Amino acid sequence: MKVLFDEQTIKDRVSELGKQISGDLEKSGISELMVLGILKGSFIFMADLVRKMDVPFIDCQFLGVSSYGDATESSGEVKLTHDLSHPVRGNHVLIVEDIADTGLTLSFIQNLLTTRGAASVRTATFLSKPQKLHNDCRLDYVGFEVGNDFVVGYGLDAAGNYRQLPFVAVLPH
Ligand code: IMP
Ligand code: MG
């Protein structure tokens, strides 16, 4: 497999992001944050990111969505497969996503949280594929930009496989 980002490179970048996010929140006077991971792809990034954030109170929550099934191209339709167990109203939320491809998943969740009365909504995505990104999806924090290859590892899967890889690699055809 062709490795795009190795373990150390990822570690350094996630530390930077954690510092940057914490600093921005402090400037905005936010000391309580709901970190909302999008299952399943974000679980490794989220686990590393929250440990690099310096925010007094962090409530970790998860939301399950599916747009790909087992395919490597978006179906164009986002399905909620696991809803929040906690009300969002009045909370400052940081959505954590593995990768923004078309941006459909992120804009769907941004809209959902805004409709439910979140006090503020920010996004942190580990990877972004800028070539296909929709305009209506706002990305606040991006780990790395990638091309249009299908990538796996560090939480990202191909039909459920490879999430456990500590690096990010291009899926061979
Ligand atoms: P979007 O809604 O088109 O932005 O797609 C986002 C979702 O598609 C992500 O949460 C991933 O689960 C999945 N995805 C998109 N591109 C890739 C990839 O290259 N590797 C693995 N999953 C991907
Ligand atoms: Mg996926």
Side-chain angles (χ1 to χ4, degrees):
M1 278 197 211
K2 185 183 158 210
V3 175
L4 295 181
F5 308 109
D6 66 19
E7 200 170 351
Q8 190 59 49
T9 305
I10 294 173
K11 203 171 171 215
D12 294 345
R13 182 63 186 132
V14 173
S15 295
E16 262 176 26
L17 279 178
K19 274 203 204 103
Q20 191 189 349
I21 295 171
S22 309
D24 289 351
L25 290 171
E26 196 178 353
K27 272 185 227 139
S28 305
I30 297 171
S31 59
E32 287 179 44
L33 182 70
M34 180 189 282
V35 176
L36 181 61
I38 309 309
L39 294 170
K40 299 173 198 165
S42 71
F43 82 108
I44 291 178
F45 174 46
M46 176 163 158
D48 286 346
L49 184 65
V50 291
R51 285 179 290 177
K52 294 296 178 190
M53 285 170 58
D54 184 15
V55 176
F57 300 98
I58 294 183
D59 176 19
C60 295
Q61 296 283 338
F62 295 94
L63 198 68
V65 297
S66 166
S67 63
Y68 275 56
D70 282 347
T72 54
E73 278 213 28
S74 174
S75 63
E77 192 185 314
V78 184
K79 259 197 324 215
L80 203 57
T81 57
H82 174 86
D83 204 350
L84 271 161
S85 55
H86 208 77
V88 162
R89 183 160 298 280
N91 283 277
H92 296 284
V93 186
L94 177 71
I95 305 171
V96 179
E97 171 67 309
D98 55 356
I99 184 166
D101 181 8
T102 63
L104 206 67
T105 307
L106 268 177
S107 58
F108 172 83
I109 294 163
Q110 283 169 352
N111 290 335
L112 185 77
L113 297 179
T114 304
T115 307
R116 290 187 182 177
S120 67
V121 180
R122 292 170 174 77
T123 62
T125 182
F126 175 58
L127 301 176
S128 157
K129 289 181 175 172
Q131 292 179 23
K132 279 204 271 174
L133 216 53
H134 277 200
N135 313 321
D136 57 355
C137 161
R138 213 192 58 246
L139 303 183
D140 297 308
Y141 303 100
V142 177
F144 303 98
E145 299 199 332
V146 292
N148 270 331
D149 290 326
F150 199 81
V151 294
V152 294
Y154 199 68
L156 290 111
D157 74 303
N161 297 313
Y162 308 115
R163 293 194 200 275
Q164 75 280 11
L165 299 178
F167 50 82
V168 172
V170 176
L171 184 71
H173 295 289

